Each structure stands twice: as C-alpha cells, then as structure tokens.
Amino acid sequence: MSQSNSKVEQSLTIMKENGLKYTKKREAIITYLIRRNRYITAREVYEFMNKEYKGVSYDTIYRNLHDFEMMNLLEATDLNGEKKFRFHCCQEVGHHHHFICTVCGKTKEIHMCPMDFFKEQLSGCEIEGHRFEIFGRCEECR
C-alpha cells in the first residue's frame, strides 16, 4: 500500500471513529488534499470536486473541510484574508511550523519552535496554544 493510500485509509478510519459515514466524496476530498500537499482554499477543493461530482454544493465541501479540521485531519490557516486547508493527519513529523508561499501556497516545514523564548517573557501566564507561520515567496515564485 502506498503512503498516500495509507493516509487515506487512516483518515477514513478517523472519520468513522468520529461518526462520519464513508462516502466517495469524502474520500475524494481527502485524497485531493493529500496529493496537493499545500494549503488550498475551499474554492479550489470545490472546483476539483465539481468536475468529479457535478452539482456538489460549496456548503457541503466547506462543511466537510470544517469537520475534517475538527478531527485534526486538516490544519487551517488564514492567508490573504482567506481560510486555507492542508492535510495534517498521520504526519510522522512532530511539532513543527511552516513557511507558506503567498503566491502558490507551497509549504516548507520549520523544525523549530519559538515558544521557549516567549515562555520566558510570559512568566506566570498559562499558554493554551500557539500558531507560528512565516509567509513569503518560495524559490519558484520569486
């Protein structure tokens, strides 16, 4: 089984464990996100799905993306005022952050976290979470 198929199977198992029924559309969304391997908009997913499944609604696509994010299958970010999604589940990489290309959406993992620096400055505070992303243009888009 390829790594991509394994990720799809793991994702489908997580969906089932969270009460979502299997559908070919959900499998197609997850497969598309795995293959794209970058942050993409709900509109991009919708356009892809509408080619495969004529008449699928944008609301259905967005609702599924939101559900997948809540199940930790996807991670989301806001880029240029628009929410974008990226496949996240089943990653073997530990805690990390991203460089995100503002042109094509390509991402690069950053294997360092700046939280140690901030923890020192926030003594006495309880940090509940954080998000750290660097935006710019990748090698191809420069």
Side-chain angles (χ1 to χ4, degrees):
M1 180 182 300
S2 75
Q3 185 178 10
S4 178
N5 287 344
S6 174
K7 289 178 181 179
V8 171
E9 291 301 319
Q10 288 175 317
S11 298
L12 294 173
T13 298
I14 291 169
M15 284 182 215
K16 184 177 179 181
E17 289 169 353
N18 282 274
L20 283 185
K21 293 181 182 178
Y22 167 82
T23 67
K24 287 186 180 186
K25 291 177 187 172
R26 287 185 175 132
E27 182 175 355
I29 292 170
I30 286 294
T31 301
Y32 179 72
L33 288 159
I34 290 169
R35 289 184 180 151
R36 296 298 299 202
N37 194 29
R38 66 176 178 84
Y39 282 101
I40 58 176
T41 65
R43 174 73 46 201
E44 290 175 85
V45 176
Y46 168 75
E47 288 169 0
F48 165 77
M49 290 295 290
N50 204 35
K51 290 177 191 169
E52 301 294 315
Y53 300 93
K54 295 287 184 212
V56 66
S57 79
Y58 181 80
D59 288 343
T60 297
I61 298 301
Y62 198 89
R63 186 173 46 256
N64 277 284
L65 292 172
H66 174 75
D67 290 346
F68 297 165
E69 181 187 3
M70 293 298 105
M71 292 176 217
N72 208 27
L73 296 174
L74 305 180
E75 56 189 0
T77 191
D78 290 311
L79 182 58
N80 299 326
E82 189 170 20
K83 191 168 187 175
K84 295 191 176 194
F85 301 89
R86 180 176 190 263
F87 183 75
H88 173 72
C89 172
C90 320
Q91 302 287 344
E92 280 129 32
V93 177
H95 179 77
H96 65 281
H97 298 281
H98 294 109
F99 165 85
I100 304 169
C101 180
T102 56
V103 177
C104 71
K106 178 180 175 182
T107 64
K108 291 186 174 199
E109 293 174 355
I110 301 169
H111 299 281
M112 171 270 189
C113 182
M115 284 308 294
D116 290 335
F117 171 77
F118 293 113
K119 285 178 185 175
E120 291 173 9
Q121 293 189 26
L122 298 169
S123 155
C125 295
E126 182 179 335
I127 299 169
E128 296 178 352
H130 70 281
R131 194 168 120 187
F132 180 76
E133 297 165 326
I134 298 174
F135 301 99
R137 292 176 183 237
C138 69
E139 299 87 0
E140 290 84 27
C141 295
R142 285 185 43 186

